[in-house]
């Protein structure tokens, strides 16, 4: 399979002259900046936010490059991974013409973003053990299929997708294979980042919203070939990551030891939670998890969900999702939160 980005890039994006900001047109050292119509006097805050931020967030990318072992030019930062997903649709899928493949049950944003962009979705459900249906995927691909979304570890099921299966898709599909690794920090599987040199059709999504504890800052990452990253940069709004988020992300990225400690504790707590929930009579099955949540199949998902809500405990009810009937998705909390959850569930009468 020979991947050619120009065979899937929309013509309007190929021909696009991107917005050129004041910060793009002058990049050197200077002392008087009168080029961007900012307030030259300052901001009504202790920290000065009157200057536009770096459009390409090089400081943050350099730090991420050290952590992830990938050159900064192979990194895109978005206002959450959701921005990266939306840009992929806008750059590579012709509305009303092209389609993408999703493998449900999976993260809901791929479908929402497809719908917003008027791009058809072909759904190839996972197998009953939540792995790829490779034959089904091969059959679903047609001349207008532009992308396949694979979430691993998968949300809401929690399991990792078999690596060899993902590689089969990567090696045979002539469009983009988007691997969403939002939960990779909790996984026993290694990231696909090291495979970027091998597969030019690979896009990996990660985020600072989960293990890094920065959901409110809205910083998502995409890793891909330089030519794909250039497309992201051409299409994105000029200043898509604000200055406060850039500064705080950079600061947070220094605390990797703290994050690694939380990851270990979360995994310990996850296993403890699994052990405690197993003994409850209304729990039918707990799916193996490589993430910071577990999917729990019960005899009465709606009953348990409402029972918990009445007691101020919110979990995610996934019972209406295909292949998740009867299931609740439960995020691993702190030790005391998990204890409250388990003790409360012990008083549920099924
Ligand atoms: C939480 C999550 C994200 C993160 O989205 P952000 O916009 O970066 O907060 C992405 N993908 C999946 C599968 C998720 O569960």
């Amino acid at each position: 399979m020979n991947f050619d980005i120009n065979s899937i890039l929309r013509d309007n994006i190929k021909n696009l002259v991107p917005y050129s900001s004041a910060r793009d047109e002058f990049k050197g050292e200077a002392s008087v900046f009168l080029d961007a119509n900012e307030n030259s006097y300052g901001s009504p805050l202790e920290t000065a936010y009157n200057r536009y931020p770096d459009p390409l967030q090089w400081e943050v990318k350099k730090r991420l490059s050290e952590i992830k072992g990938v050159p900064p030019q192979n990194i895109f930062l978005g206002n959450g991974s959701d921005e990266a997903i939306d840009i992929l649709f806008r750059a590579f899928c012709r509305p009303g013409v092209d389609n993408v493949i999703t493998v449900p049950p999976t993260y809901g944003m791929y479908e929402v973003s497809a719908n917003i962009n008027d791009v058809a979705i072909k759904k190839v459900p996972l197998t009953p053990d939540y792995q790829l249906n490779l034959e089904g995927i091969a059959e679903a691909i047609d001349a207008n299929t532009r992308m396949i979304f694979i979430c691993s570890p998968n949300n809401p099921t929690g399991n990792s997708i078999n690596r060899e299966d993902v590689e089969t898709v990567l090696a045979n599909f002539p469009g983009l294979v988007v691997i969403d690794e939002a939960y990779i920090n909790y996984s026993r599987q290694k990231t696909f980042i090291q495979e970027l040199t091998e597969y030019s059709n690979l896009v990996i999504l990660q985020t600072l919203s989960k293990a890094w504890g920065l959901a409110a800052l809205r910083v998502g990452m995409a890793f891909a070939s330089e030519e794909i990253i250039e497309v992201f940069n051409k299409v994105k709004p000029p200043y898509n990551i604000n200055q406060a988020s850039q500064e705080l992300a950079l600061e947070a990225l220094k605390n990797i030891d703290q994050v690694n400690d939380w990851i270990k504790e979360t995994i310990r707590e996850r296993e403890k939670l699994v052990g405690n929930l197993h003994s409850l009579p209304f729990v039918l099955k707990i799916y193996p998890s490589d993430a910071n949540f577990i999917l729990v199949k019960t005899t009465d998902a709606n009953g348990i969900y409402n029972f918990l809500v009445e007691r101020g405990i919110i979990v995610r009810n996934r019972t209406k999702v295909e292949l998740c009937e009867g299931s609740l998705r439960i995020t691993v909390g702190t030790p005391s939160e998990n204890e409250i959850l388990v003790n409360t569930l012990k008083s549920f009468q099924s």
Side-chain angles (χ1 to χ4, degrees):
M1 191 275 304
N2 250 334
F3 173 73
D4 174 13
I5 192 172
N6 286 309
S7 70
I8 64 167
L9 190 60
R10 290 172 65 193
D11 287 336
N12 59 315
I13 304 299
K14 234 176 266 175
N15 301 327
L16 179 71
V17 180
Y19 178 74
S20 182
S21 69
R23 289 291 169 272
D24 288 317
E25 293 191 3
F26 178 82
K27 287 204 186 95
E29 294 288 315
S31 53
V32 182
F33 283 100
L34 304 176
D35 58 345
N37 301 344
E38 296 146 334
N39 180 343
S40 302
Y41 297 84
S43 341
L45 292 170
E46 258 178 63
T47 315
Y49 287 114
N50 54 320
R51 300 296 178 185
Y52 280 100
D54 176 2
L56 291 170
Q57 312 99 17
W58 286 116
E59 291 299 318
V60 184
K61 285 180 185 173
K62 271 187 231 156
R63 180 74 192 110
L64 279 171
S65 158
E66 293 164 5
I67 295 173
K68 304 287 178 184
V70 61
Q73 314 85 261
N74 294 95
I75 307 175
F76 164 78
L77 297 184
N79 186 4
S81 320
D82 297 342
E83 183 178 35
I85 295 168
D86 181 63
I87 290 177
L88 285 168
F89 277 100
R90 285 191 284 146
F92 295 106
C93 301
R94 293 165 294 178
V97 178
D98 292 329
N99 65 75
V100 301
I101 291 176
T102 65
V103 291
T106 192
Y107 186 48
M109 269 315 286
Y110 318 134
E111 182 166 4
V112 173
S113 216
N115 289 339
I116 290 170
N117 289 286
D118 193 19
V119 171
I121 291 248
K122 294 190 172 202
K123 293 185 186 178
V124 182
L126 295 172
T127 60
D129 61 345
Y130 299 144
Q131 291 298 330
L132 297 180
N133 170 1
L134 287 178
E135 273 179 34
I137 291 173
E139 278 167 30
I141 294 169
D142 67 29
N144 291 333
T145 306
R146 293 292 183 255
M147 305 194 280
I148 298 181
F149 286 88
I150 298 170
C151 186
S152 182
N154 188 37
N155 177 3
T157 60
N159 64 295
S160 294
I161 304 297
N162 292 334
R163 200 175 182 90
E164 312 77 69
D165 291 353
V166 178
E167 297 217 30
T168 301
V169 178
L170 274 165
N172 293 290
F173 177 57
L176 295 179
V177 179
V178 183
I179 306 181
D180 189 339
E181 296 185 337
Y183 300 97
I184 193 67
N185 310 69
Y186 302 102
S187 178
R188 284 158 294 187
Q189 302 292 319
K190 63 182 201 317
T191 168
F192 269 87
I193 286 179
Q194 275 69 46
E195 258 54 65
L196 280 174
T197 45
E198 181 92 9
Y199 301 105
S200 52
N201 58 341
L202 170 59
V203 177
I204 297 146
L205 304 178
Q206 292 188 6
T207 180
L208 298 185
S209 297
K210 304 287 158 61
W212 280 93
L214 300 171
L217 294 190
R218 311 307 304 129
V219 181
M221 305 165 255
F223 305 92
S225 71
E226 269 188 72
E227 58 178 4
I228 295 174
I229 297 298
E230 278 167 20
V231 172
F232 273 105
N233 289 338
K234 208 170 157 182
V235 174
K236 78 180 186 70
Y239 305 108
N240 61 326
I241 310 287
N242 70 68
Q243 180 68 18
S245 289
Q246 289 192 41
E247 284 169 4
L248 292 169
L250 196 57
E251 190 63 26
L253 289 169
K254 293 177 187 157
N255 291 329
I256 193 160
D257 291 340
Q258 165 73 83
V259 172
N260 285 333
D261 286 347
W262 278 329
I263 292 166
K264 283 192 208 121
E265 174 155 21
T266 302
I267 293 172
R268 274 200 304 276
E269 279 297 310
R270 181 184 73 202
E271 297 316 307
K272 203 168 109 195
L273 188 58
V274 168
N276 287 333
L277 294 179
H278 257 310
S279 55
L280 299 173
F282 46 86
V283 169
L284 297 175
K285 182 170 184 176
I286 303 174
Y287 295 90
S289 171
D290 253 349
N292 65 338
F293 59 85
I294 48 176
L295 189 70
V296 182
K297 192 175 174 73
T298 68
T299 54
D300 181 11
N302 292 331
I304 297 165
Y305 176 80
N306 292 327
F307 176 84
L308 288 174
V309 168
E310 281 163 20
R311 286 151 186 82
I313 301 170
I314 315 301
V315 298
R316 197 98 145 105
N317 188 355
R318 300 281 80 187
T319 193
K320 290 208 186 94
V321 176
E322 194 189 336
L323 294 176
C324 296
E325 294 78 12
S327 294
L328 301 169
R329 193 194 68 190
I330 303 175
T331 305
V332 178
T334 62
S336 72
E337 288 171 332
N338 300 332
E339 206 177 298
I340 293 170
L341 173 77
V342 171
N343 287 336
T344 307
L345 283 174
K346 281 179 183 161
S347 61
F348 179 75
Q349 308 289 336
S350 53

